[in-house]
Amino acid sequence: MSSVLLLSILMLSLLGIVLAIILYLVAQKFKVFEDPRIDQVEAILPGANCGGCGFPGCRGFADAFVKTDDITRMFCPVGGNDTMAAAAAIMGKTVEAKETQVAVIRCAGSPENRKRIVQYDGATSCKIATSLYGGDTGCQFGCLGLGDCVAVCKFDAIYIDPTTLLPVVDEEKCTSCGACVKACPKFIIELRKKGPKGKRIFVSCINKDKGGIARKACQVACIGCGKCVKTCPHDAITMENNLAYIDFNKCKLCRKCVEECPTGAIREANFPPRKPKIEAEVQTEKTE
Amino acid sequence: MNMLKTFSKGGVHPSENKISANRSIEILPLPQKVSIPVSQHIGAPATILVAKGDKVKVGQIIAQSAGFVSANIHSSVSGTVESIDAVLDSSGYKRQTITITVEGDEWESSIDRTTDLKKDIQLTSQDIIKRINEAGIVGLGGATFPSHVKLSVPSGKKADVLIINGVECEPYLTSDHRLMLEKGHELMVGIQILMKALNVSKALIGIENNKPDAINYLKIIAGEYKGIEVHALKVKYPQGGEKQLIKALVNREVPSGGLPIDIGTVVHNVGTAFAVYEAVQKNKPLFERVVTVTGKILPRTANYMVRIGTSVSDLIAAAGGLPEDTGKVVNGGPMMGKALVNTDVPVTKGTSGIIVFQSKESKRKTESVCIRCAKCVSICPMGLEPYLLNKLGQQMIFDRMEQENVLDCMECGSCSFECPAHLPLLDYIRLGKAEVSKIIRSRKN
C-alpha cells in the first residue's frame, strides 16, 4: 500500500522536474529582451492612459520614449514638465520645459446672449446633433451644450454650467490632454497657454459670419470689426473670415483689446478686477 | 382573397393619415422671389453660370453639372438674379444659393407649353439619356440621385426589367398618388421612354394597396402601352424602399453593398418618370414638382405644383398659414423626413411634402432602457440588429459596427418607431454610418 503512495509521489515529482526544465529551456529560447528603462519610464508616467501624448496609453509612450533618439517632440501633457524631466533623466537626457496649456471654450453663447430658436429633442450627443442641423440657435458655429466634451474627459475637468448651458473647464484638473478638442464636432475647444498665474486673453467666439448676421444670432459674437487688430500694440491679433484670433505666443496680456471689443467677445481669465474702469464708472455716476 | 405581394423581412405599419389624397394638384401662384440652391442632388454641387444682375428666363440653365454624378440646375422663374450667396438651407447650414426676383413669366422658347399628349418617342436611347442629363432630372422620390447615372448601365451589366415606384409608403404624403391619377398617360409615356433608354421590354409599376383608385386607373390605361404591368402591393412600410420594392415585385435580392443593376433591375419613381416625359417630349427641364402640404392641424391640405426655390413659408401660407400650436414642420415624410430649422427655406428637387405637426404629436417620448424585446430586430427590413448598433454607436465601436453591416441601413426609421423604450436607435445608427463611411474612405486613400 505504502509503495503505491511512494511511487505516485515520486512519479509526480519527476514529471514536475522534467516539465520545469522544458519550460525553462523554452523560456530561454524565446526570450524577448526588453529595455528595463521602459518599465522605469512607465512607472514615472501618470498612468491615466488618456492618449493625450498621441500614443496608445502610457506604456506606448514609454516604449516610444526609450526607443527614439529625438525626444524633443514628445510630451506628456498630464504629467507636465516634472514628469518629463524625470523621464529624460532616466535616459540621461534633458528636455526643455514647456509652458503648460489648458483647454479653452471659445463660445460664450449662453441662452441670455443667444436666443434658442428651435428645440432639439434627439439623442444627447453633439456629434449626432451636428449631423442633423446647424444648432438650436441662429449661430451655426456655436456650442450645442450636449456634452460630448464632458463625456470624453478622463479627469473630470469639464462640466456643463446649468445656467449658461456651456462647458466650463476646471483649470486645476485640466491636464490639456486634448480629448475634448478632438470630441467637439464644432471645433470650439482650443488648447492655449495657461499663461502666468493662469492669466490669458482669448476671443471667445468662432463665428465666421459677417458682422450683422453674427450679432443678430448672438450678442457676444465676434463681428469682425477689426478694432482689436488696430489696437493691439504687439501684432498678436489676426483677422480671418470675419473672425479675430489672438496668438498666445505674441500676446503680452496688456488687455487693450478687451476694452476695445464692442461686443465683449474677447475674454480675459484670472486677471485682478480692473481699477481704473471702476473709477471711471464712479465718475460718470457723479457727473450725472 | 389572393395574397398581395410584399417584401419578406420586417416592416411596420404606421397610421396612414393620407388626408390630402383627394385634393387635386393645384398650381401655386408665382412667388415674389425664389432661392435655388446649387446642391439639390447627391453628388458634386453644380457650377454657377449666372452673375448678379443677369436676366433669366424660365427653364434657362443657371448652374451646370460638375461631373458625372451631379445635375444641371435651371431657373424656375423669369426675372433678375438678385444675389448669389450662402443661404441657410433646411438643416440650418449655409449652402450656395442663387436668389432670383420674379418678373413676369417668360419661358424659354424651346419649351413646348402645350398640354397635349405626345406619344411617339423619336430619340434614340443615347439621346434620351443625354436629354435627361441636360434637363437636370434627379430621383424625385426623395433621394435625389441623378437619373442619368442610373440609366447609364455600366458595361458588363444588363437590365432586364424597369421598376416604377408608385408605392408612396410614407404616411401623409400624396404627391405621387395625385400624379398617378391626374397625369396617368404622361406617366406611361415617361415609362416607355425610360424603357427605351434602358433597352428593356418590361416595366412593373408597384403601388401600395391603399390607393385603389390609382391602381385601377393605371391598370385600365396600361393596356394601351406595351410591356407595362401594374401591381398592387401590401400596405407595409418601407414598401417604397428600393430593395424592398424589388424583392416584392420580382423576388430578387440586392446583395449587400450592391446596386439594383447588379440583379438586372433599375428603379425609378413615378415623379421621375413624369419629369422624364416632360423633358424628352416637351423639352422642359426639371424646375417644378408636386409637393404635398399637409398636417392634421392645417386649415386646408393641398397638393401643389411648385416652382423649385419657392420658400416653404409661401407654401404654408397658401395652405392657410402656420397654426399657433405648431410643434414641428417636417420636410419629407414623417418617417424619414427632417424637421425644418426655419420655414424660410426653399423647396428643392427632393421636397415631396411639407407636414405640419402639432406640438403634442411631435414630442419625442421619454427614453427608458432597452428591455431586449428584439422588436427592432424583427421589424428591420434589412435584417440588421438595431439595438446592438445603437449600443455600439454610443460606445463609438465603429469597426464592430462595420462588421455588423451598418452601411446596409437605409434609415427608414422603423426601429425607432417601434421601440417600446423610445430609444433614439436611428440617431446612433446614422452616426455609425457616417463614421464607418469615413473609415472606409480613409482606408482607400
Side-chain angles (χ1 to χ4, degrees):
Chain A
M1 186 64 204
S2 64
S3 67
V4 176
L5 199 70
L6 205 69
L7 197 69
S8 46
I9 290 172
L10 207 70
M11 282 298 284
L12 271 174
S13 318
L14 206 69
L15 198 69
I17 290 163
V18 170
L19 287 177
I21 291 167
I22 293 172
L23 276 176
Y24 172 77
L25 290 174
V26 170
Q28 286 300 313
K29 172 94 180 154
F30 293 105
K31 195 176 179 181
V32 178
F33 173 77
E34 198 163 52
D35 199 323
R37 292 175 299 180
I38 296 176
D39 283 333
Q40 289 173 17
V41 173
E42 194 193 357
I44 288 168
L45 294 172
N49 291 320
C50 65
C53 52
F55 292 94
C58 295
R59 180 80 192 177
F61 179 81
D63 192 53
F65 191 79
V66 173
K67 283 177 185 165
T68 46
D69 294 329
D70 179 28
I71 56 165
T72 50
R73 297 177 84 179
M74 298 178 74
F75 190 73
C76 168
V78 180
N81 288 322
D82 298 341
T83 303
M84 287 311 291
I90 292 173
M91 301 296 298
K93 293 175 183 168
T94 50
V95 283
E96 268 179 54
K98 276 192 183 159
E99 240 182 289
T100 42
Q101 290 188 315
V102 68
V104 159
I105 313 291
R106 295 174 65 202
C107 177
S110 60
E112 206 177 87
N113 295 330
R114 194 167 56 137
K115 246 183 35 209
R116 265 36 183 182
I117 52 171
V118 283
Q119 206 180 354
Y120 173 76
D121 62 356
T124 322
S125 154
C126 304
K127 252 189 175 161
I128 289 173
T130 317
S131 69
L132 290 173
Y133 74 134
D136 51 3
T137 66
C139 172
Q140 59 166 325
F141 300 94
C143 177
L144 298 163
L146 297 169
D148 276 13
C149 49
V150 179
V152 295
C153 184
K154 289 204 174 151
F155 305 97
D156 201 16
I158 195 162
Y159 63 93
I160 301 280
D161 188 307
T163 54
T164 62
L165 303 177
L166 292 169
V168 179
V169 178
D170 186 331
E171 283 177 32
E172 295 302 312
K173 287 182 185 167
C174 179
T175 59
S176 70
C177 71
C180 51
V181 178
K182 280 182 209 144
C184 180
K186 295 278 190 190
F187 311 106
I188 287 166
I189 308 175
E190 189 198 358
L191 289 179
R192 288 182 77 92
K193 271 188 188 166
K194 205 167 182 180
K197 289 184 192 162
K199 286 181 190 169
R200 331 179 263 287
I201 295 173
F202 59 96
V203 181
S204 184
C205 181
I206 56 159
N207 192 323
K208 294 190 179 93
D209 276 331
K210 282 175 192 157
I213 304 167
R215 185 65 188 259
K216 207 174 156 192
C218 179
Q219 281 181 28
V220 290
C222 171
I223 54 172
C225 64
K227 277 188 176 171
C228 50
V229 181
K230 281 178 204 152
T231 313
C232 183
H234 310 290
D235 280 340
I237 309 180
T238 49
M239 180 72 67
E240 205 179 326
N241 295 327
N242 304 309
L243 179 64
Y245 180 76
I246 303 176
D247 186 343
F248 50 69
N249 290 319
K250 291 181 187 164
C251 178
K252 299 274 192 295
L253 304 172
C254 68
R255 291 203 278 175
K256 277 185 180 146
C257 54
V258 183
E259 284 162 32
E260 200 62 40
C261 182
T263 58
I266 302 178
R267 300 267 151 150
E268 49 180 43
N270 302 321
F271 279 93
R274 238 173 249 261
K275 274 177 200 159
K277 204 184 169 189
I278 295 162
E279 278 168 18
E281 273 170 13
V282 171
Q283 273 174 0
T284 49
E285 271 171 29
K286 271 177 191 170
T287 50
E288 277 166 23
Chain B
M1 196 192 141
N2 62 334
M3 285 284 283
L4 289 166
K5 287 182 171 180
T6 189
F7 56 99
S8 52
K9 251 183 278 175
V12 291
H13 189 184
S15 35
E16 290 159 30
N17 286 316
K18 303 268 191 187
I19 315 167
S20 52
N22 47 22
R23 301 204 65 105
S24 47
I25 299 171
E26 300 162 50
I27 292 171
L28 192 80
L30 280 179
Q32 302 204 322
K33 67 174 182 185
V34 291
S35 334
I36 305 174
V38 294
S39 181
Q40 301 183 24
H41 45 261
I42 290 180
T47 326
I48 298 170
L49 297 177
V50 289
K52 194 181 164 180
D54 282 4
K55 295 271 179 205
V56 292
K57 285 182 191 169
V58 179
Q60 186 183 329
I61 184 164
I62 51 173
Q64 193 169 21
S65 149
F68 183 56
V69 183
S70 182
N72 285 343
I73 304 225
H74 300 80
S75 175
S76 58
V77 293
S78 61
T80 317
V81 177
E82 187 190 295
S83 66
I84 295 166
D85 206 357
V87 173
L88 283 184
D89 75 347
S90 54
S91 57
Y93 284 106
K94 292 198 167 152
R95 299 271 147 82
Q96 276 296 313
T97 302
I98 303 168
T99 309
I100 303 168
T101 331
V102 180
E103 291 152 9
D105 193 23
E106 193 190 337
W107 289 43
E108 281 279 31
S109 52
S110 56
I111 303 172
D112 177 4
R113 291 184 73 180
T114 56
T115 50
D116 18 306
L117 186 70
K118 259 172 88 177
K119 269 194 183 178
D120 38 303
I121 307 151
Q122 278 139 4
L123 297 180
T124 61
S125 166
Q126 284 299 317
D127 288 341
I128 291 171
I129 296 171
K130 204 176 143 217
R131 182 68 65 81
I132 289 171
N133 187 2
E134 280 165 3
I137 294 176
V138 300
L140 295 183
T144 66
F145 189 76
S147 297
H148 69 273
V149 182
K150 270 192 188 176
L151 292 171
S152 316
V153 178
S155 60
K157 285 174 189 167
K158 201 190 164 327
D160 59 7
V161 57
L162 168 69
I163 290 175
I164 297 297
N165 189 345
V167 176
E168 203 159 56
C169 59
E170 280 267 11
Y172 286 95
L173 300 185
T174 56
S175 51
D176 288 352
H177 182 188
R178 291 313 306 179
L179 197 74
M180 288 189 281
L181 275 180
E182 293 173 36
K183 308 278 183 194
H185 281 284
E186 286 87 344
L187 176 64
M188 288 293 174
V189 179
I191 294 170
Q192 300 249 289
I193 297 168
L194 288 171
M195 284 163 74
K196 191 170 178 188
L198 282 169
N199 197 16
V200 297
S201 56
K202 200 166 113 184
L204 306 173
I205 308 178
I207 305 171
E208 238 178 18
N209 205 31
N210 56 5
K211 299 177 257 297
D213 47 353
I215 297 168
N216 288 334
Y217 175 60
L218 290 188
K219 268 189 177 163
I220 293 164
I221 64 166
E224 297 175 33
Y225 302 88
K226 225 182 113 198
I228 302 178
E229 283 171 38
V230 181
H231 288 273
L233 300 172
K234 195 178 167 185
V235 184
K236 192 162 85 169
Y237 181 85
Q239 182 69 71
E242 201 168 55
K243 289 168 187 168
Q244 279 64 35
L245 186 59
I246 295 171
K247 176 76 185 162
L249 284 173
V250 293
N251 198 20
R252 297 182 200 165
E253 261 180 53
V254 181
S256 173
L259 291 169
I261 190 69
D262 297 339
I263 51 163
T265 54
V266 172
V267 184
H268 280 285
N269 184 265
V270 287
T272 317
F274 177 67
V276 164
Y277 165 78
E278 290 205 310
V280 176
Q281 303 295 70
K282 302 276 180 181
N283 207 8
K284 182 181 157 195
L286 178 63
F287 58 77
E288 58 182 2
R289 65 160 297 149
V290 186
V291 179
T292 304
V293 183
T294 181
K296 283 180 191 160
I297 54 165
L298 274 187
R300 63 182 288 261
T301 59
N303 298 294
Y304 289 118
M305 184 61 98
V306 185
R307 302 283 174 93
I308 304 293
T310 309
S311 106
V312 169
S313 53
D314 284 352
L315 270 180
I316 296 173
L322 213 57
E324 229 166 73
D325 195 23
T326 307
K328 229 177 223 181
V329 179
V330 174
N331 175 4
M335 296 296 283
M336 286 186 76
K338 275 178 84 180
L340 292 177
V341 174
N342 69 20
T343 55
D344 292 326
V345 295
V347 166
T348 60
K349 289 176 183 175
T351 311
S352 47
I354 300 292
I355 312 175
V356 178
F357 286 108
Q358 207 178 349
S359 45
K360 204 173 69 198
E361 297 174 284
S362 66
K363 278 256 161 59
R364 278 211 201 194
K365 299 197 179 89
T366 330
E367 271 174 51
S368 56
V369 287
C370 175
I371 54 166
R372 308 242 155 183
C373 66
K375 262 191 175 169
C376 53
V377 180
S378 60
I379 58 88
C380 178
M382 297 309 295
L384 303 173
E385 292 171 277
Y387 80 94
L388 175 66
L389 294 173
N390 173 52
K391 268 273 165 297
L392 292 172
Q394 279 175 350
Q395 290 165 16
M396 308 210 183
I397 309 173
F398 298 121
D399 45 350
R400 176 78 195 280
M401 280 183 108
E402 189 188 350
Q403 289 166 20
E404 299 290 340
N405 295 321
V406 71
L407 291 182
D408 280 353
C409 171
M410 55 160 175
E411 309 182 12
C412 70
S414 300
C415 49
S416 299
F417 174 79
E418 200 71 11
C419 181
H422 312 301
L423 294 173
L425 296 167
L426 181 57
D427 290 348
Y428 281 100
I429 294 175
R430 268 207 207 111
L431 172 72
K433 276 183 77 175
E435 295 292 329
V436 168
S437 323
K438 244 188 252 170
I439 293 170
I440 290 175
R441 269 202 301 276
S442 68
R443 213 179 282 154
K444 274 179 191 162
N445 294 338

